[in-house]
């Protein structure tokens, strides 16, 4: 009753945010909640080899490397991410959490409050990749970087082809 009187989908989304869980709808409309849905099977996709059709979008609008926080009894601390040497000094808005009673607690909480790497979105429509499930982890090596990026399938685009619903991209 503390979540309000909204649609079922909005209520489930609120519950997932509060309890830091995800859900997947199973057969017979059974909702399965878990810390993370999906598997990590170590599949690897390399641009130009087994993956050719790829769209990449980088988002740095929420990228920060420094954050200041205040805890109980006026405890103040500043956290600087190790990525500050790479991305520079990008200061987030200060935050307050009266539940943090020690500097150590506040520091650990501050580390969870900033995004210190760019958000990278990759979309592809190769058949092998579209057979992966939402939530599944795969490795992507993009262009010449040779650096494997652990990615997660977060959404699927589906369309009807010859009367059958298929995944067209992930």
């Amino acid at each position: 009753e503390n979540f309000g009187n909204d649609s079922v989908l909005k209520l489930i989304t609120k519950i997932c945010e509060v309890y830091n869980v995800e859900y997947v709808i199973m057969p017979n409309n059974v909702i399965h909640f878990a810390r993370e849905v999906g598997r990590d099977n170590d599949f690897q996709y390399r641009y130009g080899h087994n993956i050719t059709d790829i769209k990449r979008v980088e988002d740095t609008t929420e990228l920060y490397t420094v954050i200041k926080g205040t805890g109980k009894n006026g405890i103040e601390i500043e956290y600087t991410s190790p990525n500050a040497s790479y991305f520079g000094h990008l200061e987030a808005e200060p935050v307050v959490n009266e539940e943090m009673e020690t500097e150590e607690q506040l520091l650990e909480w501050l580390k969870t409050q900033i995004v210190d790497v760019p958000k990278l979105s990759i979309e592809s429509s190769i058949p092998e990749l579209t057979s992966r499930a939402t939530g599944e982890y795969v490795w992507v090596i993009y262009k010449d970087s040779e650096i494997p990026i652990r990615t997660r399938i977060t959404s699927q685009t589906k369309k009807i082809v010859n009367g059958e619903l298929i995944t067209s991209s992930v």
Side-chain angles (χ1 to χ4, degrees):
E1 65 184 43
N2 293 337
F3 287 100
N5 189 15
D6 223 331
S7 71
V8 173
L9 183 59
K10 287 183 181 180
L11 290 173
I12 288 174
T13 302
K14 284 181 188 178
I15 290 169
C16 289
E17 288 172 5
V18 168
Y19 291 104
N20 198 23
V21 296
E22 299 174 349
Y23 72 93
V24 64
I25 300 174
M26 307 294 284
N28 298 323
N29 292 326
V30 172
I31 300 175
H32 174 73
F33 292 93
R35 287 276 173 222
E36 280 190 345
V37 297
R39 295 185 221 166
D40 190 351
N41 291 325
D42 260 359
F43 289 109
Q44 184 183 97
Y45 298 93
R46 184 181 297 265
Y47 184 79
H49 294 278
N50 60 350
I51 186 171
T52 54
D53 166 12
I54 193 168
K55 287 186 237 172
R56 177 181 156 180
V57 177
E58 256 183 72
D59 180 8
T60 59
T61 56
E62 296 178 17
L63 176 67
Y64 299 104
T65 56
V66 178
I67 188 168
K68 293 178 183 175
T70 304
K72 192 171 187 174
N73 298 325
I75 297 172
E76 290 184 358
I77 197 165
E78 179 178 286
Y79 168 69
T80 301
S81 163
N83 292 340
S85 61
Y86 186 74
F87 297 114
H89 184 92
L90 304 169
E91 198 164 321
E93 290 290 321
V95 292
V96 177
N97 186 339
E98 293 290 329
E99 294 179 14
M100 302 297 119
E101 297 179 354
T102 66
E103 286 186 2
E104 293 79 21
Q105 287 178 325
L106 183 57
L107 178 63
E108 290 306 310
W109 181 74
L110 285 176
K111 290 178 183 179
T112 68
Q113 298 306 299
I114 64 169
V115 176
D116 61 351
V117 293
K119 290 182 180 178
L120 179 64
S121 174
I122 299 171
E123 182 177 349
S124 181
S125 61
I126 64 165
E128 185 180 338
L129 196 52
T130 58
S131 67
R132 302 282 163 229
T134 300
E136 191 169 338
Y137 285 96
V138 296
W139 292 95
V140 174
I141 301 174
Y142 185 70
K143 298 240 180 187
D144 300 324
S145 71
E146 291 301 316
I147 299 171
I149 303 167
R150 186 173 185 238
T151 61
R152 189 159 185 233
I153 301 195
T154 57
S155 66
Q156 298 179 333
T157 303
K158 299 189 181 272
K159 64 182 181 180
I160 296 176
V161 176
N162 297 329
E164 186 178 336
L165 185 65
I166 63 161
T167 302
S168 60
S169 67
V170 294

